Amino acid sequence: MTHTSPAFIDGGLKFTPHYFSVPLDYQDPTKGSLQIFAREVTLAKDNAEKPWLVFFQGGPGFPSPRPNGNSGWLKRALQDYRVLLLDQRGTGNSSVISHQTLAHLSPSEQADYLSHFRADNIVRDAEFIRQAFGVTQWAILGQSFGGFCSLTYLSLFPDSLSHAYITGGVPSIERHPDDVYTATFKRTKEKNQEFFNQFPHAQSLCKKIANHLATNEVVLPNGQAFTVEQFQQIGINFGVSDTFLPTYYSLENAFIEVDGKPTLRYEFLNEMLMQQAFQTNPIYALLHESIYCQGFASSWSAGRVRQQHDEFNYQQGDDVFYFTGEMVFPWMFEQYECLKPLKKAADQLAEKDDWGPLYDAEVLAKNRVPVSCAVYADDMFVEMDISRETLAKIPNSKAWITNEYEHNGLRADGERILDKLIEMGDHIDYCQH
């Protein structure tokens, strides 16, 4: 069942909202259905029947962009395509997952429900929409986790794709998440060193904040106790461009004096809360490690790997303070207010060892779809060496390896990056396609 809401025009773009009813579990439709939302974007004055390009957002657990104007990668895409901005299941307007919507389920029911929200079913939703539209083939653009979804699409439904464009999101198709986090902890340490080399005073500011948190009860505006571990997690920002200086500004303005005592400012604490995307987008925390799992459990991989890197486990009096990155840890479900109700489900998901396959190595080894990728040499989230390892196994793929951008290259300079990928895709030798 599908329906379309009235279209509207803004800034020279025409937006058409589409809604689809899809199975929660494609292997067992009796388990119920989900609403999937996707927004079609075209040039308002464009009457040409252009081919489709589907955008897969990064995450997991974040909705597709809500464009405000014809700019960035969308501007380039609309020259050649009509664009479909897909809210992946559980995000945006697609049967959203939150502590509110899961509250009526038991922990086991929550875990079972959440197990259907990985890339395999996201791709099946896209395939459902393609068939509903009567489209023979379409192109896909995957950013970060969206790139993971792209390789799943190439594994499951390669004949449905004309081109695949991937930015900062070529995963391993077989490695355990321990390998991934071993690499990303190393990258995260390097980013820390870059930051503290540029801002030497920031080290003492961070230690002052961390020591204050360790010896005082500090509460965020939502009533949540604020801890050293939570403070360390703002290091996730170091994986995207132009965040070093804003981070330093926040650190130098962290304290005020109240009755002669140093106190963390409300503005600083409010900013720390606003950066906790896990509160509003819990899929990111609940399923982050499972995006690497095929037939094995993650068993809180990042937490285990972290114990091999003592420099990230700050204790008062330590010589060096380091921020962490995008890793997810079990203690988060004990500290974050909106994750606390989901702790038991998170533990069950972490120990789940019967995850189905996300990639088909045999299908990918015979790939005929032109796959052009932007691989960022200094990416803190997706390791370049692992991306190159994967692409070496996929024929008709080509990588543009660059250190011009961080992980958010598509957002920072999307028009240029997508133009480059489209040009690369047009020149890939795919005579067998």
Side-chain angles (χ1 to χ4, degrees), residues 326-397:
E326 69 164 352
M327 304 84 173
V328 171
F329 306 106
W331 57 259
M332 293 166 56
F333 291 87
E334 299 170 354
Q335 294 190 17
Y336 287 107
E337 283 301 310
C338 295
L339 295 183
K340 288 178 182 178
L342 307 175
K343 174 177 167 45
K344 291 182 179 179
D347 286 334
Q348 290 182 31
L349 290 168
E351 298 309 319
K352 180 178 171 65
D353 60 7
D354 59 351
W355 293 107
L358 294 169
Y359 313 110
D360 189 322
E362 292 186 6
V363 171
L364 292 174
K366 301 174 183 177
N367 176 62
R368 298 179 180 182
V369 181
V371 181
S372 47
C373 312
V375 175
Y376 306 127
D378 300 322
D379 200 323
M380 194 173 93
F381 303 146
V382 180
E383 173 58 38
M384 175 187 66
D385 291 340
I386 292 178
S387 295
R388 295 180 66 188
E389 173 187 272
T390 296
L391 291 173
K393 302 172 183 176
I394 303 177
N396 293 312
S397 67

Side-chain angles (χ1 to χ4, degrees), residues 89-286:
R89 51 170 55 196
T91 75
N93 295 330
S94 294
S95 295
V96 68
I97 281 178
S98 70
H99 66 288
Q100 295 171 300
T101 61
L102 295 177
H104 66 289
L105 300 175
S106 69
S108 294
E109 290 170 335
Q110 290 173 350
D112 180 68
Y113 184 70
L114 289 160
S115 69
H116 300 291
F117 285 76
R118 296 197 308 159
D120 50 351
N121 286 316
I122 292 169
V123 164
R124 290 186 179 103
D125 292 340
E127 187 64 3
F128 181 100
I129 296 170
R130 184 192 65 79
Q131 294 176 11
F133 280 169
V135 175
T136 302
Q137 285 187 325
W138 55 16
I140 56 176
L141 169 60
Q143 157 64 15
S144 187
F145 171 68
F148 291 37
C149 294
S150 298
L151 287 196
T152 300
Y153 213 143
L154 287 163
S155 296
L156 296 180
F157 307 105
D159 292 339
S160 300
L161 303 178
S162 61
H163 290 80
Y165 310 111
I166 298 174
T167 60
V170 179
S172 170
I173 60 174
E174 57 191 6
R175 284 180 178 265
H176 192 279
D178 286 14
D179 295 338
V180 174
Y181 292 119
T182 296
T184 53
F185 267 111
K186 180 182 177 182
R187 289 283 183 190
T188 302
K189 183 176 180 179
E190 292 171 354
K191 293 293 185 183
N192 272 275
Q193 291 168 339
E194 289 178 28
F195 173 72
F196 289 118
N197 285 338
Q198 183 175 351
F199 302 98
H201 184 47
Q203 182 62 221
S204 61
L205 294 175
C206 287
K207 292 178 68 174
K208 181 179 179 182
I209 294 169
N211 293 340
H212 181 85
L213 293 174
T215 55
N216 295 271
E217 292 185 6
V218 179
V219 177
L220 294 176
N222 68 338
Q224 173 183 307
F226 188 42
T227 65
V228 175
E229 294 89 353
Q230 292 173 40
F231 173 51
Q232 287 178 288
Q233 287 193 304
I234 69 169
I236 191 174
N237 294 322
F238 292 172
V240 300
S241 56
D242 302 322
T243 54
F244 277 12
L245 186 55
T247 299
Y248 179 74
Y249 287 151
S250 296
L251 297 174
E252 71 174 1
N253 289 322
F255 282 97
I256 54 172
E257 281 201 3
V258 177
D259 294 332
K261 297 180 180 179
T263 303
L264 287 170
R265 293 170 59 153
Y266 180 85
E267 297 97 315
F268 175 77
L269 295 175
N270 191 56
E271 181 183 349
M272 295 297 101
L273 176 60
M274 293 296 291
Q275 293 198 32
Q276 295 180 354
F278 314 103
Q279 306 274 17
T280 53
N281 300 77
I283 287 178
Y284 187 85
L286 288 158

